[in-house]
């Protein structure tokens, strides 16, 4: 038998859970998004080019590699017509060579500019809690961001 008090406690608990629960479960949220350093576009959907995913970065060597979405095959060679080259004279800055025409450029092709960015939802939520505690008059420093960006590392 349910008493009025029990029913009120149940309803109160349900209402509290509705208003305090996060709209998305933190574990169900994606932890990685994709950012294009040329176009400055970002997306949660992984872009692909000729069936290859956005490049991974090998944790041991720092070199980029690509994985075919259907076959799982990995390659150090970039998909498409452009190849990224690090020369002896420019070990920090790559240049790009068109495989067919042999044209060279310092400008990164758009499809090679996609990077994986790790997003820390916990950090963002903690930041939101801190913002609530501070006065509304405070202004974040220029360039400050709640999103944590880093290259995604993976070994094949």
């Amino acid at each position: 038998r349910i008493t009025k008090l029990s029913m009120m406690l149940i309803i109160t608990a349900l209402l509290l859970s509705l208003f305090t629960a996060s709209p998305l479960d933190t574990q169900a949220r994606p932890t990685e998004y994709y950012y294009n350093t040329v176009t400055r576009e970002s997306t949660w959907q992984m872009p692909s080019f000729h069936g290859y995913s956005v490049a991974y970065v090998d944790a041991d060597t720092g070199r980029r590699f690509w994985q075919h979405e259907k076959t799982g095959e990995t390659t150090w060679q970039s998909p498409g017509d452009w190849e990224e080259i690090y020369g002896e004279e420019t070990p920090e800055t790559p240049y790009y060579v068109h495989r067919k025409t042999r044209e060279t450029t310092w400008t990164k092709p758009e499809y090679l500019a996609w990077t994986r960015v790790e997003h820390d939802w916990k950090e963002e939520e903690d930041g939101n809690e801190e913002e609530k505690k501070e006065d509304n008059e405070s202004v974040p420093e220029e360039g400050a961001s709640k999103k944590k960006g880093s290259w995604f590392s993976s070994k094949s």
Side-chain angles (χ1 to χ4, degrees):
R1 180 170 185 238
I2 299 177
T3 65
K4 285 184 181 180
L5 179 59
S6 297
M7 184 61 85
M8 289 178 65
L9 288 173
I10 292 170
I11 291 172
T12 302
L14 286 171
L15 288 172
L16 280 174
S17 70
L18 286 174
F19 290 109
T20 59
S22 177
L24 292 172
D25 181 18
T26 302
Q27 280 81 25
R29 296 179 191 173
T31 58
E32 185 175 81
Y33 67 96
Y34 307 93
Y35 178 73
N36 190 301
T37 58
V38 171
T39 64
R40 306 187 98 174
E41 178 183 358
S42 62
T43 180
W44 290 105
Q45 298 296 317
M46 181 171 56
S48 69
F49 189 77
H50 290 292
Y52 285 88
S53 65
V54 172
Y56 291 91
V57 176
D58 182 70
D60 294 332
T61 64
R63 287 183 59 198
R64 294 179 358 139
F65 67 94
W66 288 263
Q67 182 174 24
H68 195 276
E69 295 170 342
K70 290 184 181 174
T71 66
E73 175 189 349
T74 59
T75 180
W76 296 107
Q77 186 173 351
S78 62
D81 293 332
W82 291 94
E83 184 176 359
E84 187 173 73
I85 306 287
Y86 289 87
E88 290 179 19
E89 297 172 10
T90 60
E92 302 290 319
T93 307
Y95 64 95
Y96 303 90
V97 178
H98 192 276
R99 289 188 179 101
K100 294 176 185 169
T101 66
R102 305 310 298 165
E103 173 190 356
T104 61
T105 182
W106 292 103
T107 305
K108 183 180 275 192
E110 286 182 22
Y111 75 91
L112 291 178
W114 285 103
T115 62
R116 296 168 183 271
V117 181
E118 193 174 315
H119 183 79
D120 187 347
W121 288 103
K122 179 70 176 141
E123 184 178 288
E124 182 175 291
E125 289 167 357
D126 290 346
N128 287 341
E129 289 301 317
E130 292 299 319
E131 286 177 11
K132 290 176 187 175
K133 292 177 187 176
E134 295 176 3
D135 292 336
N136 289 336
E137 296 174 10
S138 67
V139 177
E141 292 180 28
E142 186 175 333
S145 174
K146 293 182 205 168
K147 293 185 178 179
K148 178 182 176 185
S150 65
W151 282 92
F152 179 81
S153 297
S154 175
K155 292 183 183 179
S156 61

